[in-house]
Amino acid sequence: MSNYDKLTAHYQTINHFNHAQSMLGWDAAANMPAGGNEARSQAMAELSVHVHRLSTQQQLGEWFDKAQQELLNGEQQSSLREMKRQWQQATIVPEDLVQAQSIAGSKCEHAWRSQRPANDWKGFEKNWKEVVKLSREEANIRSEALDLTPYDAMLDKYEPGTTSASLNTLFSDVKSWLPELIEKALDKQKTQSIIKPSGIYSTASQKALGLETMKLLKFDFDHGRLDQSVHPFCGGVPSDVRITTRYDEKDFVQALMGIVHETGHARYEQGLPKAFAGLPVGEARSMGVHESQSLFFEMQVGRSKPFISHLSKLSADAFNAHQDPVFAEENLYKIYTQVEKGFIRVDADELTYPAHVIIRYEIERDLINGVIEHSDVPALWDEKMKASLGLTTEGNYQNGCMQDIHWTDGAFGYFPSYTLGAMYAAQYKATMQQTVDIDGAIKSGDLSPIFNWLSDNIWSQASLHNTDDLIKRATGETLNAAHFKKHLETRYL
């Protein structure tokens, strides 16, 4: 058995444990009763320690050295590179820290579920202080090993190759034109009248509508399902993808577009190459590329006029409300492209969303780099919200710095992925429309030409290339934010 083969067998084993971990996590969010949390946290911590041990075994270093001398084809070389990257990521962090983080993160996140609605910053802060402390420890260890700043070392987990220097430049550019674009769009929409949803939209009808929409987006129900949770997410594994949404019976709008978004994540997972299943090279390239799929589905497809036309018919059917003007095409389009300055990132419209991301990026960057302390976050949040969206969150923690799940378990470095994803998505569309009649495909109800392009250029490529190369191969250039700006101007002005 070659050393390369030994490594692939070993990483397949690790993947089986990650599969179990992923399903336990999905179940904790979608099904588990509150009383199960403590035992579940312990079980998941035990599993993460086991995976960490498997990922850091002594002989791996020797296998990597020897495998590099073996005759490998291009795809095997990419596979070796990605296994080695995961090995290096794992060996950097000591086992006791991995376990401590898993326990602190589970504890903080579970308590956050009730602390957030209670606006209990003091209670949250007690748990979060430990999460921040451990995340900083991790960041400093990674920083030393990778010769990066502490925050860049965390960023590297989600966006390999991206640095805060490049993000500072990118986001400074966005900050230079976004506020004016928001004001212009608000001004343009000032006179439009929108009929808002009123009445009761049962969870059962909303779920049925979601499932019909997923069918239109060609979700594979033999390899996935839809459930309900506090925070919408896409979990599971490529052969069994679990997506969730949350329903509000007074408003079907958010849950429906949330399902379109999560279906984008799910189709990427379902479209990853079977030949590399269970190996690092067969995984999604980065979180930004993952978000580019959900945001392509939600923003480029989901909020387009021809797709809204389908949603208009499907929702009127689901709620048996064919005469209700809420579901008229034009009205739904206005609802889904309405610009509004608000507190909540997950409810934000496409235009104000980047402002929410940039606030979080600037705070977590400075928090991990030790420029600010965890206790400074509420005041900084308020200050930045005032500056970018003219809103104050003073004393309003649940709609301010306590609103997201990410920081509760130490996922620092993730937020930039959302805006990178939106930018990549706009760039794909600009390229795709040179060879695909996008609106025509959506109108026809057969979106295959769109999905075929994504499959050929993104899904099937998994992690065979680094992010810049992947984007360049797909679109002819590396990330260019001009496409994103143009997309926003076209839709909103």
Side-chain angles (χ1 to χ4, degrees), residues 136-157:
R136 279 176 165 176
E137 268 179 49
E138 180 193 351
N140 287 326
I141 291 167
R142 288 184 182 280
S143 158
E144 214 163 287
L146 300 170
D147 196 23
L148 295 168
T149 66
Y151 181 73
D152 285 2
M154 296 298 268
L155 195 56
D156 189 66
K157 294 199 301 185

Side-chain angles (χ1 to χ4, degrees), residues 47 56 58 180 361:
L47 252 182
T56 54
Q58 205 89 44
E180 190 188 348
Y361 161 68

